Amino acid sequence: MLDPSELYELSADVPVLDRPVLVQALGGFIDAGGAARLAREHLLAASQSRVLATFDVDRLFDYRARRPVMLFVEDHWESYDEPSLALHLMHDAAGTPYLLLAGPEPDVQWERFVAAVRQLVDQLGVRLTVGFNAIPMGVPHTRPVGVTAHATRRELTAGYEPWVHTVQVPASAGHLLEYRLGQADADAIGFAVHVPHYVAQLDYPAAAAVLLDNVAQVADLVLPTDALRGAADKVRADIDEQVQESSEVAAVVQALETQYDAYVGARGRGGLLAEDGARLPSADELGAELERFLAERTHRGDQHEG
């Protein structure tokens, strides 16, 4: 493999860092409710950042698959939304420095990219790498937002209960990074937040807040989420209003609540089945009708505005 260091340029005046945490927040993988994007944007907006390393996007990005946006004004090109993949030096609310890897997930050369990040982890003395994403699940928006935690050592996920046992999923560069770090005996942990799949196409800030809460807890950082929680309250009120407009849809949400409560209760008792053994509708069955309703309502609203 070619030298991974050729993929990035590290600043010549990197400050002395006391075993920082690296938060890797690559875009491009599954992101239900835009939760990972919202969390990433919140971190970048909450603190001044300094770029410590930049990656060679031309070697990693497929421009034809994800064409950047250009702005045309009258007779000239005004701007170009240039993709950037960079390692930022950030500070939390208490002034503690940490690193943020942000930008588009590489389309190619995953192994070389991962090796490059591992080099940076070693050079900068990173003690823990934390990643996150958001997945759609058959859960109701009226219950606490859940997360699935995974890590390179079981001790890192102490206190988190698994939601699934064995499942095969498409790979991502971020997950491959965690896997390779584990093979190198480096600490890494990741969180997948659970977003109700009937709102997966909307921005769901409640899930972004939960992601950052979990990152802050394992990384010992102070990451304020007040703005996200304020936005979440507004989104929740809007969803509740839409649900209340239809008794049929309200029944669907109630069925999701029943399924969720039965599952959580069974986990608490050490089992995974509801006590009565009755068949509960699947997440797809319960969510499909609500998803159709929300889509139709949005469509009607668009027509009204037009």
Side-chain angles (χ1 to χ4, degrees):
M1 182 170 61
L2 298 175
D3 186 352
S5 65
E6 295 180 4
L7 278 184
Y8 64 89
E9 182 176 348
L10 183 63
S11 174
D13 58 342
V14 175
V16 176
L17 301 172
D18 184 17
R19 303 183 67 241
V21 169
L22 166 62
V23 178
Q24 55 102 348
L26 301 174
F29 188 52
I30 298 171
D31 189 15
R37 171 181 53 81
L38 291 171
R40 179 174 61 249
E41 291 175 351
H42 182 77
L43 290 177
L44 288 170
S47 165
Q48 290 186 339
S49 66
R50 174 189 165 195
V51 174
L52 291 187
T54 55
F55 286 82
D56 189 346
V57 172
D58 263 359
R59 298 191 186 189
L60 300 171
F61 193 83
D62 184 346
Y63 290 88
R64 292 191 299 174
R66 294 186 282 177
R67 294 180 182 270
V69 175
M70 297 183 68
L71 180 65
F72 183 81
V73 178
E74 295 183 351
D75 60 357
H76 67 281
W77 293 108
E78 181 76 12
S79 63
Y80 171 54
D81 189 11
E82 183 176 355
S84 172
L85 179 54
L87 183 67
H88 302 258
L89 174 60
M90 313 287 294
H91 291 82
D92 73 353
T96 302
Y98 69 96
L99 303 171
L100 177 67
L101 178 62
E105 175 189 49
D107 293 299
V108 296
Q109 300 194 51
W110 278 11
E111 291 288 5
R112 193 176 176 210
F113 168 74
V114 166
V117 176
R118 284 181 52 194
Q119 283 187 353
L120 289 170
V121 165
D122 291 339
Q123 290 180 56
L124 301 175
V126 170
R127 64 179 174 84
L128 175 68
T129 299
V130 187
F132 53 72
N133 67 287
I135 56 177
M137 288 188 68
V139 294
H141 72 282
T142 53
R143 295 294 184 266
V145 177
V147 293
T148 294
H150 43 83
T152 54
R153 289 190 296 115
R154 184 162 294 178
E155 293 81 0
L156 294 174
T157 57
Y160 291 92
E161 292 191 38
W163 281 78
V164 296
H165 291 289
T166 301
V167 61
Q168 190 173 55
V169 300
S172 74
H175 291 158
L176 179 60
L177 172 61
E178 180 181 317
Y179 179 67
R180 295 297 187 216
L181 286 170
Q183 291 181 320
D185 294 325
D187 283 348
I189 187 172
F191 299 102
V193 69
H194 309 159
V195 175
H197 68 342
Y198 51 85
V199 296
Q201 301 305 313
L202 308 173
D203 278 356
Y204 200 62
V210 168
L211 281 177
L212 293 186
D213 284 344
N214 282 273
V215 171
Q217 180 176 337
V218 300
D220 197 21
L221 295 173
V222 181
L223 303 176
T225 57
D226 290 348
L228 288 172
R229 297 192 186 285
D233 289 341
K234 295 178 181 178
V235 171
R236 169 65 185 270
D238 186 53
I239 295 173
D240 286 342
E241 179 183 351
Q242 295 180 49
V243 170
Q244 290 170 6
E245 290 184 5
S246 169
S247 58
E248 204 169 327
V249 171
V252 173
V253 174
Q254 186 175 14
L256 274 173
E257 291 171 341
T258 299
Q259 178 173 278
Y260 175 94
D261 293 342
Y263 181 78
V264 171
R267 288 173 65 196
R269 296 187 301 271
L272 293 175
L273 298 176
E275 287 182 348
D276 58 10
R279 177 189 177 274
L280 290 170
S282 70
D284 287 340
E285 292 170 339
L286 291 169
E289 186 172 358
L290 182 55
E291 196 170 22
R292 283 196 301 272
F293 170 77
L294 295 178
E296 289 170 2
R297 188 180 189 279
T298 300
H299 179 66
R300 290 199 304 270
D302 292 343
Q303 287 181 328
H304 179 70
E305 291 176 2

